[in-house]
Amino acid sequence: MIAYKFRVVIDIEEDVFRDVVILENQNFEELHHAIVHAFGFEGDQMASFYMSDEQWEKGEEIGLIDMSFDDNNGPLSMKDVLVGSKIENAHQKILYVYDFLKMWIFYLELIDSFEKNENDAYPHVSLNFGESPDENSKEIPDLMIGLTKNSTFEDQLNDVYDEFDEDQFGDFENIDDYDL
């Protein structure tokens, strides 16, 4: 049985990473729990893995829950995909996104593979480096940036209409006059 050692680097200013070792026949849900535990996160948020290329571009998604809704068009489910089935090269790269509001991003890179040790439990953390951030230390982005303070959506919409150039686009008072 092959064991894979992934270097898991969290995307923050400080250098913080964990080496997580998992067996080829364990699934991505087990890897998810190992990462959450390794960084001291609660584990109560949605997450996905994305198979990546050498430039860390997002590829195929492996989601925490089955989102296919019986049409088989959703991403693969972590519990259904074995880690070993997605290893394509000796330095396989995978992105892991935890909490889609706060967007905690982790970079996983395969750094070693070897025969499993019968005395070890899997998955496990073989190396801790740096202090993990508090899961709640990251702010949810303010989606209201750009709106003036004390303004309503209607006020903002009126600002857009005030800037509308009728000479360039015409007067849309009677929409029925246009072929749509």
Coordinates of all heavy atoms in Angstrom, one line a residue, residues 32-121:
H32 N -9.5 16.0 3.7 CA -10.1 17.2 4.1 C -10.1 17.3 5.7 O -9.6 18.3 6.2 CB -11.5 17.3 3.6 CG -12.5 18.1 4.4 ND1 -12.5 19.5 4.4 CD2 -13.5 17.7 5.2 CE1 -13.5 19.9 5.2 NE2 -14.1 18.9 5.7
H33 N -10.5 16.2 6.3 CA -10.5 16.2 7.8 C -9.1 16.3 8.4 O -8.9 17.0 9.4 CB -11.3 15.0 8.3 CG -12.7 15.0 8.1 ND1 -13.6 16.0 8.6 CD2 -13.5 14.2 7.3 CE1 -14.8 15.8 8.2 NE2 -14.8 14.7 7.4
A34 N -8.2 15.7 7.7 CA -6.8 15.8 8.2 C -6.2 17.2 8.1 O -5.6 17.7 9.0 CB -5.9 14.8 7.4
I35 N -6.5 17.9 7.0 CA -6.1 19.3 6.9 C -6.7 20.2 7.9 O -6.1 21.0 8.5 CB -6.3 19.8 5.4 CG1 -5.4 19.0 4.5 CG2 -6.0 21.3 5.3 CD1 -5.8 19.2 3.0
V36 N -8.0 20.1 8.0 CA -8.8 20.9 9.0 C -8.2 20.7 10.4 O -7.9 21.7 11.1 CB -10.3 20.6 8.9 CG1 -11.0 21.2 10.1 CG2 -10.9 21.1 7.6
H37 N -8.0 19.5 10.7 CA -7.5 19.2 12.1 C -6.0 19.7 12.2 O -5.7 20.3 13.3 CB -7.5 17.6 12.3 CG -6.9 17.2 13.6 ND1 -7.6 17.5 14.8 CD2 -5.8 16.6 13.9 CE1 -6.8 17.0 15.8 NE2 -5.7 16.5 15.3
A38 N -5.2 19.5 11.2 CA -3.8 19.9 11.2 C -3.7 21.4 11.5 O -2.7 21.9 12.1 CB -3.1 19.5 10.0
F39 N -4.6 22.2 11.0 CA -4.5 23.7 11.1 C -5.4 24.2 12.2 O -5.5 25.4 12.4 CB -4.9 24.3 9.8 CG -3.7 24.2 8.8 CD1 -3.7 23.2 7.9 CD2 -2.7 25.2 8.8 CE1 -2.6 23.0 7.0 CE2 -1.7 25.1 7.9 CZ -1.6 24.0 7.0
G40 N -6.1 23.3 13.0 CA -6.9 23.7 14.1 C -8.2 24.4 13.7 O -8.7 25.2 14.5
F41 N -8.7 24.1 12.5 CA -10.0 24.7 12.1 C -11.1 23.9 12.6 O -11.0 22.7 13.0 CB -10.0 24.9 10.6 CG -9.2 26.0 10.1 CD1 -8.2 26.6 10.8 CD2 -9.4 26.5 8.8 CE1 -7.4 27.6 10.3 CE2 -8.6 27.5 8.2 CZ -7.6 28.1 9.0
E42 N -12.3 24.5 12.7 CA -13.5 23.8 13.2 C -14.0 22.7 12.3 O -14.5 21.7 12.7 CB -14.6 24.8 13.4 CG -14.4 25.8 14.5 CD -14.4 25.2 15.9 OE1 -15.2 24.3 16.1 OE2 -13.5 25.6 16.7
G43 N -13.9 22.9 11.0 CA -14.4 21.9 10.0 C -15.8 22.0 9.7 O -16.4 21.0 9.2
D44 N -16.5 23.1 10.0 CA -17.9 23.2 9.8 C -18.3 24.1 8.6 O -19.4 24.6 8.5 CB -18.5 23.8 11.1 CG -18.0 25.2 11.5 OD1 -17.0 25.6 10.9 OD2 -18.6 25.8 12.4
Q45 N -17.3 24.2 7.7 CA -17.6 25.0 6.5 C -17.5 24.2 5.3 O -16.8 23.1 5.3 CB -16.5 26.2 6.4 CG -16.6 27.1 7.6 CD -17.9 27.9 7.7 OE1 -18.5 28.3 6.7 NE2 -18.5 28.0 8.9
M46 N -18.0 24.6 4.2 CA -17.9 24.0 2.9 C -16.5 24.1 2.4 O -15.8 25.0 2.7 CB -18.9 24.6 1.9 CG -20.3 24.3 2.1 SD -20.8 22.6 2.2 CE -20.4 22.2 0.5
A47 N -16.1 23.1 1.6 CA -14.7 23.0 1.1 C -14.7 22.3 -0.2 O -15.6 21.5 -0.5 CB -13.8 22.4 2.1
S48 N -13.7 22.5 -1.0 CA -13.5 21.7 -2.3 C -12.0 21.6 -2.5 O -11.2 22.5 -2.2 CB -14.1 22.4 -3.5 OG -15.5 22.2 -3.5
F49 N -11.6 20.5 -3.1 CA -10.3 20.3 -3.7 C -10.4 20.6 -5.2 O -11.4 20.4 -5.8 CB -9.8 18.9 -3.5 CG -9.4 18.6 -2.1 CD1 -10.4 17.9 -1.3 CD2 -8.2 18.9 -1.6 CE1 -10.0 17.6 0.0 CE2 -7.9 18.5 -0.3 CZ -8.8 17.9 0.5
Y50 N -9.3 21.1 -5.8 CA -9.2 21.3 -7.2 C -7.9 20.7 -7.7 O -6.8 21.2 -7.3 CB -9.3 22.8 -7.6 CG -10.6 23.5 -7.2 CD1 -10.7 24.1 -5.9 CD2 -11.6 23.5 -8.0 CE1 -11.9 24.7 -5.5 CE2 -12.8 24.2 -7.6 CZ -12.9 24.7 -6.4 OH -14.1 25.3 -6.0
M51 N -8.0 19.8 -8.6 CA -6.8 19.2 -9.2 C -6.1 20.3 -10.0 O -6.8 21.1 -10.6 CB -7.1 18.0 -10.0 CG -7.8 16.9 -9.3 SD -7.1 16.4 -7.7 CE -5.5 15.8 -8.2
S52 N -4.8 20.5 -9.9 CA -4.1 21.6 -10.4 C -3.0 21.2 -11.3 O -2.5 20.1 -11.2 CB -3.6 22.5 -9.3 OG -4.7 22.9 -8.5
D53 N -2.6 22.2 -12.1 CA -1.4 22.0 -13.0 C -0.2 22.6 -12.3 O -0.3 23.1 -11.2 CB -1.7 22.5 -14.4 CG -2.0 24.0 -14.4 OD1 -1.7 24.7 -13.5 OD2 -2.5 24.4 -15.5
E54 N 0.9 22.7 -13.0 CA 2.1 23.2 -12.5 C 2.0 24.7 -12.1 O 2.7 25.2 -11.3 CB 3.3 23.1 -13.5 CG 3.8 21.6 -13.6 CD 4.3 21.1 -12.3 OE1 5.1 21.7 -11.6 OE2 3.9 19.9 -11.9
Q55 N 1.1 25.4 -12.7 CA 0.9 26.9 -12.4 C -0.2 27.1 -11.4 O -0.7 28.2 -11.2 CB 0.5 27.6 -13.7 CG 1.7 27.8 -14.7 CD 2.0 26.5 -15.4 OE1 1.1 25.8 -15.8 NE2 3.3 26.2 -15.6
W56 N -0.7 26.1 -10.8 CA -1.7 26.1 -9.7 C -3.1 26.5 -10.3 O -3.9 27.1 -9.6 CB -1.3 27.0 -8.5 CG -0.2 26.5 -7.8 CD1 1.1 26.9 -7.9 CD2 -0.1 25.4 -6.9 NE1 1.9 26.2 -7.1 CE2 1.2 25.3 -6.4 CE3 -1.1 24.6 -6.3 CZ2 1.6 24.3 -5.5 CZ3 -0.7 23.6 -5.4 CH2 0.6 23.5 -5.0
E57 N -3.3 26.3 -11.6 CA -4.6 26.6 -12.2 C -5.6 25.6 -11.7 O -5.3 24.4 -11.6 CB -4.5 26.6 -13.7 CG -3.6 27.7 -14.3 CD -4.1 29.1 -14.1 OE1 -5.4 29.3 -14.2 OE2 -3.3 30.0 -13.9
K58 N -6.9 26.1 -11.4 CA -7.9 25.2 -10.9 C -8.3 24.3 -12.1 O -8.6 24.7 -13.1 CB -9.1 26.0 -10.5 CG -9.1 26.5 -9.1 CD -10.4 27.2 -8.8 CE -10.4 27.9 -7.5 NZ -11.7 28.6 -7.3
G59 N -8.4 23.0 -11.7 CA -8.9 22.0 -12.7 C -10.1 21.4 -12.1 O -11.0 22.0 -11.5
E60 N -10.2 20.1 -12.3 CA -11.4 19.3 -11.8 C -11.7 19.5 -10.3 O -10.8 19.5 -9.5 CB -11.2 17.8 -12.1 CG -12.3 16.9 -11.7 CD -12.0 15.5 -12.0 OE1 -10.9 15.0 -11.9 OE2 -13.0 14.8 -12.3
E61 N -12.9 19.8 -10.0 CA -13.3 20.0 -8.6 C -13.8 18.7 -7.9 O -14.4 17.9 -8.6 CB -14.5 21.0 -8.5 CG -14.9 21.3 -7.1 CD -16.1 22.3 -7.0 OE1 -16.6 22.8 -8.1 OE2 -16.5 22.7 -5.9
I62 N -13.4 18.6 -6.7 CA -13.9 17.5 -5.8 C -14.5 18.2 -4.6 O -13.7 18.7 -3.8 CB -12.7 16.5 -5.5 CG1 -12.0 16.0 -6.7 CG2 -13.2 15.4 -4.6 CD1 -10.8 15.2 -6.5
G63 N -15.8 18.2 -4.5 CA -16.5 18.9 -3.5 C -16.8 18.1 -2.2 O -16.8 16.8 -2.3
L64 N -17.0 18.8 -1.1 CA -17.3 18.1 0.1 C -18.6 17.3 0.1 O -18.7 16.2 0.6 CB -17.4 19.1 1.3 CG -17.6 18.6 2.7 CD1 -16.5 17.6 3.1 CD2 -17.6 19.8 3.7
I65 N -19.6 17.8 -0.6 CA -20.9 17.1 -0.6 C -21.2 16.9 -2.1 O -20.8 17.6 -3.0 CB -22.0 17.8 0.1 CG1 -22.3 19.2 -0.5 CG2 -21.7 17.9 1.6 CD1 -23.5 19.9 0.1
D66 N -22.1 15.9 -2.3 CA -22.5 15.6 -3.7 C -23.5 16.7 -4.1 O -24.5 16.9 -3.5 CB -23.3 14.3 -3.7 CG -23.7 13.8 -5.1 OD1 -23.5 14.6 -6.0 OD2 -24.3 12.7 -5.2
M67 N -23.1 17.4 -5.2 CA -23.9 18.5 -5.7 C -24.5 18.2 -7.1 O -24.9 19.1 -7.8 CB -23.0 19.8 -5.8 CG -22.5 20.2 -4.5 SD -23.7 21.0 -3.5 CE -24.0 22.5 -4.3
S68 N -24.5 16.9 -7.5 CA -24.9 16.5 -8.8 C -26.4 16.6 -9.0 O -26.9 16.7 -10.1 CB -24.4 15.1 -9.2 OG -25.0 14.2 -8.3
F69 N -27.2 16.5 -7.9 CA -28.7 16.6 -8.1 C -29.2 15.6 -9.1 O -30.0 15.9 -9.9 CB -29.2 18.0 -8.3 CG -28.7 19.0 -7.3 CD1 -27.7 19.9 -7.6 CD2 -29.3 19.0 -6.0 CE1 -27.3 20.8 -6.7 CE2 -28.8 19.9 -5.1 CZ -27.9 20.8 -5.4
D70 N -28.7 14.4 -9.1 CA -29.1 13.3 -9.9 C -28.9 13.5 -11.4 O -29.4 12.7 -12.3 CB -30.6 12.9 -9.7 CG -30.9 12.4 -8.3 OD1 -30.0 11.7 -7.8 OD2 -32.0 12.7 -7.8
D71 N -28.2 14.5 -11.8 CA -27.9 14.7 -13.2 C -26.5 14.5 -13.6 O -26.1 14.6 -14.8 CB -28.4 16.1 -13.7 CG -27.5 17.2 -13.0 OD1 -26.6 16.9 -12.3 OD2 -27.8 18.4 -13.3
N72 N -25.7 14.1 -12.6 CA -24.3 13.7 -12.9 C -23.5 14.8 -13.5 O -22.5 14.6 -14.1 CB -24.2 12.4 -13.7 CG -24.8 11.2 -13.0 OD1 -24.7 11.1 -11.8 ND2 -25.4 10.3 -13.8
N73 N -23.9 16.0 -13.3 CA -23.1 17.2 -13.9 C -22.4 17.9 -12.8 O -21.6 18.9 -13.1 CB -24.1 18.1 -14.6 CG -24.5 17.5 -15.9 OD1 -23.8 16.7 -16.5 ND2 -25.7 17.9 -16.3
G74 N -22.6 17.6 -11.5 CA -21.9 18.3 -10.4 C -20.5 17.8 -10.3 O -20.1 16.9 -10.9
P75 N -19.8 18.5 -9.4 CA -18.4 18.0 -9.1 C -18.4 16.7 -8.4 O -19.4 16.2 -7.8 CB -17.8 19.1 -8.2 CG -19.0 19.7 -7.5 CD -20.1 19.6 -8.6
L76 N -17.3 16.0 -8.5 CA -17.1 14.7 -7.8 C -17.3 15.0 -6.3 O -17.0 16.1 -5.8 CB -15.8 14.1 -8.1 CG -15.5 13.8 -9.5 CD1 -14.0 13.4 -9.7 CD2 -16.4 12.7 -10.0
S77 N -17.6 14.0 -5.5 CA -17.8 14.1 -4.1 C -16.5 13.5 -3.4 O -16.0 12.5 -3.8 CB -19.0 13.3 -3.6 OG -19.1 13.3 -2.2
M78 N -16.0 14.2 -2.3 CA -14.8 13.8 -1.6 C -14.9 12.4 -1.1 O -13.9 11.6 -1.2 CB -14.5 14.7 -0.4 CG -14.0 16.1 -0.8 SD -13.7 17.0 0.7 CE -13.7 18.7 0.1
K79 N -16.1 12.0 -0.7 CA -16.2 10.6 -0.1 C -16.1 9.5 -1.2 O -15.9 8.4 -0.9 CB -17.5 10.5 0.7 CG -18.7 10.5 -0.1 CD -19.9 10.3 0.8 CE -21.2 10.4 0.0 NZ -22.4 10.4 0.8
D80 N -16.3 9.9 -2.4 CA -16.4 8.9 -3.5 C -15.1 8.8 -4.3 O -14.9 8.0 -5.2 CB -17.5 9.3 -4.5 CG -18.9 9.2 -3.9 OD1 -19.0 8.4 -3.0 OD2 -19.7 10.0 -4.4
V81 N -14.1 9.7 -4.0 CA -12.9 9.7 -4.8 C -11.7 9.4 -3.9 O -11.4 10.0 -2.9 CB -12.6 11.1 -5.4 CG1 -11.4 11.1 -6.3 CG2 -13.9 11.5 -6.2
L82 N -10.9 8.3 -4.3 CA -9.7 7.9 -3.6 C -8.6 8.8 -4.0 O -8.4 9.2 -5.2 CB -9.4 6.5 -3.9 CG -10.5 5.4 -3.5 CD1 -10.0 4.0 -3.8 CD2 -10.8 5.5 -2.0
V83 N -7.8 9.2 -3.0 CA -6.6 10.0 -3.3 C -5.7 9.5 -4.4 O -5.3 10.1 -5.3 CB -5.8 10.3 -2.0 CG1 -4.6 11.1 -2.3 CG2 -6.7 11.1 -1.0
G84 N -5.4 8.2 -4.3 CA -4.5 7.5 -5.3 C -5.0 7.6 -6.7 O -4.3 7.6 -7.6
S85 N -6.4 7.7 -6.9 CA -6.9 7.7 -8.2 C -6.6 9.1 -9.0 O -6.8 9.2 -10.2 CB -8.4 7.5 -8.2 OG -9.1 8.6 -7.7
K86 N -6.2 10.1 -8.2 CA -6.0 11.4 -8.8 C -4.5 11.8 -8.9 O -4.2 12.9 -9.3 CB -6.8 12.5 -8.1 CG -8.3 12.3 -8.2 CD -8.7 12.5 -9.6 CE -10.2 12.4 -9.8 NZ -10.6 12.5 -11.2
I87 N -3.6 10.9 -8.5 CA -2.2 11.2 -8.5 C -1.7 10.9 -9.9 O -1.7 9.8 -10.4 CB -1.4 10.4 -7.5 CG1 -2.0 10.7 -6.1 CG2 0.1 10.8 -7.6 CD1 -2.0 12.2 -5.7
E88 N -1.3 12.0 -10.7 CA -0.9 11.8 -12.1 C 0.6 12.0 -12.2 O 1.1 11.6 -13.3 CB -1.7 12.8 -12.9 CG -3.2 12.5 -13.0 CD -3.9 13.5 -13.8 OE1 -3.4 14.5 -14.3 OE2 -5.2 13.3 -13.9
N89 N 1.3 12.6 -11.3 CA 2.7 12.8 -11.4 C 3.4 12.9 -10.0 O 2.7 13.0 -9.0 CB 3.0 14.0 -12.3 CG 2.5 15.3 -11.7 OD1 3.0 15.8 -10.6 ND2 1.6 16.0 -12.3
A90 N 4.7 12.9 -10.0 CA 5.4 12.8 -8.8 C 5.4 14.0 -7.9 O 5.7 14.0 -6.7 CB 6.9 12.5 -9.1
H91 N 4.9 15.1 -8.5 CA 4.8 16.4 -7.7 C 3.3 17.0 -7.9 O 3.2 18.2 -8.0 CB 5.8 17.4 -8.2 CG 7.2 17.0 -7.9 ND1 7.7 17.1 -6.6 CD2 8.2 16.5 -8.7 CE1 9.0 16.6 -6.6 NE2 9.2 16.2 -7.9
Q92 N 2.4 16.1 -7.9 CA 1.0 16.5 -8.1 C 0.6 17.7 -7.2 O 0.9 17.7 -6.0 CB 0.0 15.3 -7.7 CG -1.4 15.6 -7.9 CD -1.8 15.7 -9.4 OE1 -1.6 14.8 -10.1 NE2 -2.4 16.8 -9.7
K93 N 0.0 18.6 -7.8 CA -0.5 19.8 -7.1 C -2.0 19.9 -7.0 O -2.7 19.5 -8.0 CB 0.0 21.1 -7.8 CG 1.5 21.2 -7.7 CD 2.1 22.4 -8.4 CE 3.6 22.5 -8.2 NZ 4.2 23.6 -8.9
I94 N -2.5 20.3 -5.8 CA -3.9 20.3 -5.6 C -4.2 21.6 -4.8 O -3.5 21.9 -3.9 CB -4.4 19.1 -4.8 CG1 -4.0 17.8 -5.4 CG2 -5.9 19.2 -4.5 CD1 -4.2 16.6 -4.6
L95 N -5.2 22.3 -5.2 CA -5.7 23.5 -4.4 C -6.8 23.0 -3.5 O -7.6 22.1 -3.9 CB -6.3 24.6 -5.3 CG -5.2 25.4 -6.1 CD1 -6.0 26.3 -7.1 CD2 -4.4 26.3 -5.1
Y96 N -6.9 23.5 -2.3 CA -7.9 23.2 -1.4 C -8.5 24.5 -0.8 O -7.8 25.4 -0.4 CB -7.4 22.4 -0.2 CG -8.3 22.1 0.9 CD1 -9.5 21.4 0.8 CD2 -8.1 22.7 2.2 CE1 -10.3 21.1 1.9 CE2 -8.9 22.5 3.3 CZ -10.0 21.7 3.1 OH -10.9 21.5 4.2
V97 N -9.8 24.7 -1.0 CA -10.5 25.9 -0.6 C -11.4 25.6 0.5 O -12.3 24.7 0.4 CB -11.2 26.7 -1.7 CG1 -11.9 27.9 -1.2 CG2 -10.3 27.0 -2.9
Y98 N -11.3 26.2 1.7 CA -12.1 26.0 2.8 C -12.8 27.3 3.2 O -12.2 28.3 3.3 CB -11.2 25.5 4.0 CG -11.9 25.4 5.3 CD1 -12.7 24.2 5.6 CD2 -11.9 26.4 6.3 CE1 -13.4 24.1 6.8 CE2 -12.6 26.3 7.5 CZ -13.3 25.1 7.7 OH -14.0 25.0 8.9
D99 N -14.1 27.2 3.4 CA -15.0 28.3 3.7 C -15.0 29.3 2.6 O -14.2 30.2 2.5 CB -14.5 29.0 5.0 CG -15.4 30.1 5.5 OD1 -16.3 30.6 4.8 OD2 -15.4 30.4 6.7
F100 N -16.0 29.2 1.8 CA -16.1 30.0 0.5 C -16.5 31.4 0.8 O -16.5 32.2 -0.2 CB -17.1 29.3 -0.4 CG -16.6 28.0 -1.0 CD1 -17.1 26.8 -0.5 CD2 -15.6 28.0 -2.0 CE1 -16.6 25.6 -1.0 CE2 -15.2 26.9 -2.5 CZ -15.6 25.6 -2.0
L101 N -16.7 31.8 2.0 CA -16.9 33.3 2.3 C -15.6 33.9 2.7 O -15.2 34.9 2.2 CB -17.9 33.5 3.4 CG -19.4 33.2 3.1 CD1 -20.3 33.4 4.3 CD2 -19.8 34.1 1.9
K102 N -14.8 33.2 3.6 CA -13.5 33.7 4.0 C -12.4 33.3 3.0 O -11.3 33.9 3.1 CB -13.2 33.3 5.4 CG -14.2 33.9 6.4 CD -13.9 33.4 7.8 CE -14.9 34.1 8.8 NZ -14.6 33.6 10.2
M103 N -12.6 32.3 2.3 CA -11.7 31.9 1.2 C -10.3 31.5 1.8 O -9.3 32.1 1.4 CB -11.6 32.9 0.1 CG -12.8 33.0 -0.7 SD -13.3 31.6 -1.6 CE -12.1 31.4 -2.8
W104 N -10.3 30.6 2.7 CA -9.0 30.0 3.1 C -8.5 29.1 2.0 O -9.2 28.2 1.6 CB -9.1 29.2 4.4 CG -9.4 30.1 5.6 CD1 -10.6 30.3 6.3 CD2 -8.4 30.9 6.3 NE1 -10.4 31.1 7.4 CE2 -9.1 31.5 7.4 CE3 -7.0 31.1 6.1 CZ2 -8.4 32.3 8.3 CZ3 -6.4 31.9 7.0 CH2 -7.1 32.5 8.1
I105 N -7.3 29.4 1.5 CA -6.7 28.7 0.4 C -5.5 28.0 0.8 O -4.6 28.6 1.5 CB -6.4 29.6 -0.8 CG1 -7.7 30.3 -1.3 CG2 -5.7 28.8 -1.9 CD1 -7.5 31.3 -2.3
F106 N -5.4 26.7 0.5 CA -4.3 25.9 0.8 C -3.7 25.3 -0.5 O -4.4 24.9 -1.4 CB -4.7 24.7 1.7 CG -5.3 25.1 3.0 CD1 -6.6 25.5 3.1 CD2 -4.5 25.1 4.2 CE1 -7.2 25.9 4.3 CE2 -5.1 25.4 5.4 CZ -6.4 25.8 5.5
Y107 N -2.4 25.2 -0.5 CA -1.7 24.6 -1.7 C -1.1 23.3 -1.2 O -0.3 23.3 -0.3 CB -0.6 25.6 -2.2 CG -1.1 26.9 -2.6 CD1 -1.2 28.0 -1.8 CD2 -1.4 27.1 -4.0 CE1 -1.7 29.2 -2.2 CE2 -1.9 28.3 -4.4 CZ -2.1 29.4 -3.5 OH -2.6 30.6 -3.9
L108 N -1.5 22.2 -1.9 CA -1.0 20.9 -1.6 C 0.0 20.5 -2.7 O -0.4 20.6 -3.9 CB -2.1 19.9 -1.5 CG -3.0 19.8 -0.3 CD1 -3.9 21.0 -0.2 CD2 -3.8 18.6 -0.2
E109 N 1.1 20.0 -2.3 CA 2.0 19.4 -3.3 C 2.5 18.1 -2.8 O 3.0 18.0 -1.7 CB 3.2 20.4 -3.6 CG 4.1 19.8 -4.7 CD 5.1 20.8 -5.2 OE1 5.2 21.9 -4.7 OE2 5.9 20.5 -6.1
L110 N 2.5 17.1 -3.7 CA 3.0 15.8 -3.3 C 4.5 15.9 -3.3 O 5.2 16.3 -4.2 CB 2.6 14.8 -4.4 CG 3.0 13.3 -4.2 CD1 2.4 12.8 -2.9 CD2 2.6 12.4 -5.4
I111 N 5.1 15.6 -2.1 CA 6.5 15.7 -1.9 C 7.2 14.3 -1.7 O 8.4 14.2 -1.8 CB 6.9 16.6 -0.8 CG1 6.4 16.2 0.6 CG2 6.5 18.1 -1.1 CD1 6.9 16.9 1.8
D112 N 6.4 13.3 -1.5 CA 7.0 11.9 -1.3 C 5.9 10.9 -1.4 O 4.8 11.1 -1.1 CB 7.7 11.8 0.0 CG 8.7 10.7 0.1 OD1 9.0 10.0 -0.9 OD2 9.3 10.5 1.2
S113 N 6.3 9.7 -1.9 CA 5.4 8.5 -1.8 C 6.3 7.3 -1.4 O 7.5 7.3 -1.8 CB 4.7 8.3 -3.2 OG 5.6 8.1 -4.2
F114 N 5.7 6.5 -0.6 CA 6.5 5.4 -0.1 C 5.6 4.3 0.4 O 4.4 4.5 0.5 CB 7.4 5.8 1.1 CG 6.7 6.7 2.1 CD1 6.0 6.1 3.2 CD2 6.7 8.1 1.9 CE1 5.4 6.9 4.1 CE2 6.0 8.9 2.9 CZ 5.4 8.3 3.9
E115 N 6.1 3.1 0.7 CA 5.3 2.0 1.2 C 4.9 2.4 2.6 O 5.7 2.9 3.4 CB 6.2 0.7 1.2 CG 5.4 -0.5 1.4 CD 4.5 -0.8 0.2 OE1 4.7 -0.5 -1.0 OE2 3.4 -1.4 0.5
K116 N 3.6 2.1 2.9 CA 3.1 2.5 4.2 C 3.8 1.8 5.4 O 4.3 0.6 5.2 CB 1.6 2.2 4.3 CG 1.2 0.8 4.7 CD -0.4 0.8 4.9 CE -0.7 -0.5 5.6 NZ -2.1 -0.6 5.9
N117 N 3.9 2.4 6.5 CA 4.4 1.9 7.7 C 3.3 1.2 8.5 O 2.3 2.0 8.9 CB 5.2 2.9 8.5 CG 5.8 2.4 9.8 OD1 5.4 1.4 10.3 ND2 6.8 3.2 10.3
E118 N 3.4 0.0 8.8 CA 2.3 -0.7 9.5 C 2.0 -0.1 10.9 O 1.0 -0.3 11.5 CB 2.6 -2.2 9.6 CG 2.6 -2.9 8.2 CD 1.3 -2.9 7.5 OE1 0.2 -2.8 8.2 OE2 1.3 -2.9 6.3
N119 N 3.0 0.6 11.5 CA 2.9 1.1 12.8 C 2.2 2.5 12.9 O 2.0 3.0 13.9 CB 4.3 1.2 13.5 CG 4.9 -0.2 13.7 OD1 4.1 -1.2 13.9 ND2 6.2 -0.3 13.5
D120 N 2.0 3.1 11.7 CA 1.5 4.4 11.7 C -0.1 4.4 11.4 O -0.6 3.5 10.7 CB 2.1 5.3 10.5 CG 3.5 5.7 10.9 OD1 3.9 5.6 12.0 OD2 4.3 6.0 9.9
A121 N -0.7 5.3 12.0 CA -2.2 5.6 11.7 C -2.2 6.6 10.5 O -1.4 7.5 10.4 CB -2.9 6.1 12.9

